[in-house]
Amino acid sequence: MNAAKGSFARGLLIFSAFALAFFMSYGLRAINAVLAPDLVAAFSLSAGDLGAMSSAYFVAFSAMQLPLGIWLDRFGSRRVEASLLLVAALGCGFFALGDQIAHLWLGRALIGAGMAACLMAALKAFRFWFAAHWQQRLAAWILVCGTSGALVSTVPVAMLAQAYGWRMCFVLAAGLLLACSAYLWLALPRDEEEAASKHAATKPQGERDQGYREIFASRFLRGAMPSLVLFQGGFLALQTLWAGPWMTQVLKLNASDTAQALMLFNAALLLGFLWLGWAAPKIAARGWDGPKVMRLAALLTLLTEAAMIYFLQSWAWVFWLLLAAISTVFTLLQTEVALSFPARLGGRAYTGSNLLLFGGVFFLQWGFGALIDAAGLLGATTVQSFQIAMALLMVLQVLSLLPLRSQAAKS
């Protein structure tokens, strides 16, 4: 691996700085799946309350995407991400000290806002510092690092919460975020910022608005986003919250077994991304573009979700491992969508698509819980309520594939 302008050591430094931040981002995104029983007990939360509180992360995360794209293109990845990590650290402090659900919602929202740049800043930086043929491989590797954060948010977090309480998890996270911010600010080179400043000085008036118009006018993006929202976003909604309650309330696993199952679930995701980092160039060489891969992965996802609905024995948690492994290939389509735009719009291309993706995650995560509550009020058992919510998600996923077209059809 060689950075576009420098040595292997410089490339490793750039990658590691963003990888550590994304490790924290993914861990905090997924942590409520493990801590859900503690939060429900401490604050008497319903399924809808739990979904709304946890999805505050995605509300704030999505709201940050449009200004974030402009900031990344104007100020560079280092300054933007290092600054926002301080906001995430503040959010962890609010969450740790909260004594009512409104405090948790605010803390979770601040965490989401502060984490909004972690992946997008990394991908924007990679596009500046690394050659084009490295982009999909680097995207897969950064997701490996993020999934490692989700892995740590399972059994290790459960053990920490059992020993010191759930609040200590967020106190520790705040300290680690401060360290990540300092590393980004002090260690990264400045040439991306210098290039951004030069471009800003010569940028024609009104280019910012035209940039987002060009992105959202793309037929390729509009055709790809429904399937990305329902499949990739649907997976994120399940992974970061509802996987844990499904195992405890549907499969009747105890808290310890659930934490171990979630650890294996995230390990399967990590291995999937490792495989994808190796396989992405080979998939492209065979002529399989993002939409073609997406359709195959979508079919496998639907079959797996159907098995999850049908098989309710305690061993059925293994289907979650399969779901995790399949979900990794969705990123090929997401990366292809972002790379379909010129480099001058790199920040806005990533964040514009991310706005749609994570806005969808909010509605899916909240809606899944709201539907569980509604089905219960209509007389369904807890297990039936979860099955109904999953079945409706599958229906929406099938419909989302209808507008998906190849990049050749974009405008």
Side-chain angles (χ1 to χ4, degrees):
M1 182 196 309
N2 289 313
K5 302 175 184 177
S7 64
F8 173 86
R10 191 186 196 203
L12 185 61
L13 173 69
I14 292 165
F15 181 85
S16 64
F18 289 105
L20 288 171
F22 192 51
F23 171 91
M24 292 300 302
S25 172
Y26 222 120
L28 283 166
R29 186 190 302 174
I31 195 171
N32 279 9
V34 170
L35 297 181
D38 297 299
L39 298 173
V40 168
F43 296 94
S44 301
L45 304 178
S46 68
D49 291 335
L50 183 62
M53 181 272 292
S54 293
S55 62
Y57 178 106
F58 297 109
V59 174
F61 191 103
S62 301
M64 288 291 291
Q65 294 305 304
L66 293 185
L68 175 62
I70 297 167
W71 297 339
L72 287 172
D73 287 338
R74 182 176 299 174
F75 303 115
S77 302
R78 178 192 70 98
R79 284 191 287 182
V80 172
E81 182 163 358
S83 300
L84 286 177
L85 288 177
L86 301 178
V87 177
L90 179 63
C92 287
F94 266 99
F95 204 97
L97 299 174
D99 58 9
Q100 53 184 278
I101 190 172
H103 298 158
L104 300 186
W105 199 99
L106 176 60
R108 188 76 173 157
L110 287 171
I111 293 170
M115 294 301 190
C118 286
L119 181 58
M120 299 300 99
L123 296 178
K124 173 69 165 55
F126 295 162
R127 190 164 186 179
F128 178 83
W129 273 303
F130 295 88
H133 66 276
W134 280 101
Q135 296 303 309
Q136 286 194 329
R137 184 170 290 179
L138 287 167
W141 286 345
I142 196 78
L143 288 165
V144 168
C145 297
T147 306
S148 300
L151 194 64
V152 170
S153 73
T154 56
V155 171
V157 164
M159 294 173 64
L160 180 64
Q162 184 177 12
Y164 299 104
W166 62 268
R167 296 179 190 273
M168 182 56 66
C169 299
F170 291 93
V171 171
L172 179 61
L176 292 173
L177 288 170
L178 292 174
C180 288
S181 177
Y183 183 35
L184 277 160
W185 187 264
L186 298 173
L188 259 63
R190 310 294 197 264
D191 43 345
E192 186 205 8
E193 295 163 23
E194 294 168 2
S197 297
K198 290 177 183 178
H199 177 74
T202 59
K203 182 173 65 175
Q205 187 69 25
E207 182 182 307
R208 180 185 68 179
D209 292 337
Q210 177 60 37
Y212 274 119
R213 281 202 297 270
E214 183 177 340
I215 288 163
F216 290 121
S218 166
R219 289 174 59 190
F220 182 44
L221 180 141
R222 295 201 307 268
M225 286 314 300
S227 57
L228 281 172
V229 168
L230 268 299
F231 282 95
Q232 187 175 11
F235 172 78
L236 287 171
L238 295 173
Q239 180 206 14
T240 57
L241 179 60
W242 294 114
W246 184 285
M247 292 180 187
T248 57
Q249 299 182 47
V250 177
L251 303 183
K252 309 301 183 185
L253 301 182
N254 61 38
S256 176
D257 289 342
T258 295
Q260 292 181 30
L262 288 173
M263 184 174 71
L264 293 173
F265 167 67
N266 286 304
L269 189 65
L270 185 150
L271 291 174
F273 282 127
L274 278 174
W275 172 84
L276 189 65
W278 170 82
K282 295 174 173 57
I283 293 172
R286 291 179 177 270
W288 281 60
D289 62 2
K292 188 173 182 180
V293 173
M294 184 75 191
R295 292 188 189 97
L296 176 59
L299 175 60
L300 296 175
T301 295
L302 291 166
L303 291 173
T304 303
E305 290 170 344
M308 290 161 58
I309 292 173
Y310 182 77
F311 294 101
L312 303 178
Q313 294 84 355
S314 59
W315 58 264
W317 61 268
V318 298
F319 290 117
W320 286 87
L321 276 61
L322 182 59
L323 184 70
I326 296 168
S327 73
T328 59
V329 300
F330 300 149
T331 60
L332 294 179
L333 179 58
Q334 185 183 21
T335 304
E336 186 174 322
V337 168
L339 292 176
S340 69
F341 296 96
R344 66 183 174 82
L345 299 175
R348 280 162 280 184
Y350 283 115
T351 57
S353 59
N354 228 33
L355 166 68
L356 301 176
L357 175 63
F358 282 91
V361 175
F362 159 69
F363 285 107
L364 291 169
Q365 192 168 81
W366 166 78
F368 201 92
L371 190 58
I372 290 170
D373 286 342
L377 291 174
L378 294 174
T381 66
T382 298
V383 171
Q384 290 170 340
S385 298
F386 273 84
Q387 289 174 311
I388 290 168
M390 185 69 79
L392 181 58
L393 174 61
M394 291 176 62
V395 171
L396 295 175
Q397 287 173 331
V398 171
L399 295 176
S400 75
L401 293 170
L402 297 179
L404 182 61
R405 300 289 184 274
S406 71
Q407 185 175 341
K410 76 178 180 70
S411 60

